[in-house]
Amino acid sequence: MFRADADDLAALRVLYDACGGTGWSKQWLVDAEVLASTNYPGVTFSPEGRVTAINIAGYGLTGELPGEGFSLPELTTLTLNNNAITGLTAGINLPKLTTIDLTSNSIAGLTEGVSLPELTTLNLNNNHVSELLTSGFNMPKLATLNLSNNRLKGELPTESLDLPALTTLNLSRNSLTGNVPASLLKECTLLKNLDLSHNQLTEVKTALPTSITSLNLNNQHRVYGSSTGLHDL
């Protein structure tokens, strides 16, 4: 017999209501009298009835992911690509989340105060991000950050990026100009893969982290700097 944790069901209802659930292409039967796993297409439940994964790509979600009330303590994977989500609320409580895919949404940027302590992969490819937020969030284990094909423009910030576990950073296909400040990545001592292709950078300083083994600088207006020992991604 199917079981579901009551608190997790309440959290799913919060997500449904906050993100326009009545207009989704695949409906969750949040008011059904008979409880069944099929009431929640795209949701994976553990044998104990806890939500462990959500894949609702292309369902038609709108608005911000909720904070208050959206608490899923066993959720590890959240797949929300190809929707119209506009942001993440600071109070989001997903303590075991390791992967979130928000490709092809309408997110304008990272939100200060967001805490995802176990997150290792954040995919924000093809959104509306216009600023590279360097601090104010808690993602100490984030290893992969994809911000390609967004609306980043102008010079990169000089503040250090507060992502000490970062190994892969993709900032390709934006409108970044100027140079790459050495200070931006000085705390990213584990960084191996850096993709800056398809921008308008005019200088890449040689004082990048020595850990980098793969650097993609293709299709710049003009690029200076040594890439000795590095190769394209």
Side-chain angles (χ1 to χ4, degrees), residues 61-95:
L61 279 73
T62 59
E64 289 191 342
L65 289 182
E68 184 177 356
F70 186 45
S71 176
L72 293 169
E74 300 299 322
L75 184 71
T76 60
T77 304
L78 185 56
T79 305
L80 301 171
N81 54 290
N82 296 299
N83 285 294
I85 298 167
T86 57
L88 286 75
T89 305
I92 196 168
N93 183 22
L94 305 171

Side-chain angles (χ1 to χ4, degrees), residues 29-160:
L29 304 180
V30 293
D31 293 317
E33 294 183 4
V34 178
L35 183 61
S37 60
T38 54
N39 292 358
Y40 297 89
V43 179
T44 301
F45 293 89
S46 71
E48 295 75 29
R50 306 309 299 258
V51 175
T52 58
I54 298 176
N55 183 346
I56 46 179
Y59 277 35
L61 279 73
T62 59
E64 289 191 342
L65 289 182
E68 184 177 356
F70 186 45
S71 176
L72 293 169
E74 300 299 322
L75 184 71
T76 60
T77 304
L78 185 56
T79 305
L80 301 171
N81 54 290
N82 296 299
N83 285 294
I85 298 167
T86 57
L88 286 75
T89 305
I92 196 168
N93 183 22
L94 305 171
K96 290 187 179 181
L97 188 69
T98 60
T99 302
I100 182 168
D101 188 352
L102 290 162
T103 300
S104 299
N105 276 278
S106 302
I107 295 173
L110 292 174
T111 304
E112 289 192 17
V114 169
S115 180
L116 296 168
E118 296 296 321
L119 193 70
T120 60
T121 302
L122 174 57
N123 194 342
L124 287 166
N125 174 44
N126 194 29
N127 274 275
H128 300 165
V129 179
S130 59
E131 179 183 2
L132 179 60
L133 189 67
T134 57
S135 62
F137 46 79
N138 179 37
M139 301 179 192
K141 296 184 179 180
L142 189 67
T144 299
L145 175 59
N146 187 346
L147 286 167
S148 64
N149 197 25
N150 272 276
R151 298 181 181 179
L152 298 172
K153 63 181 179 179
E155 296 187 354
L156 285 162
T158 57
E159 297 84 1
S160 296

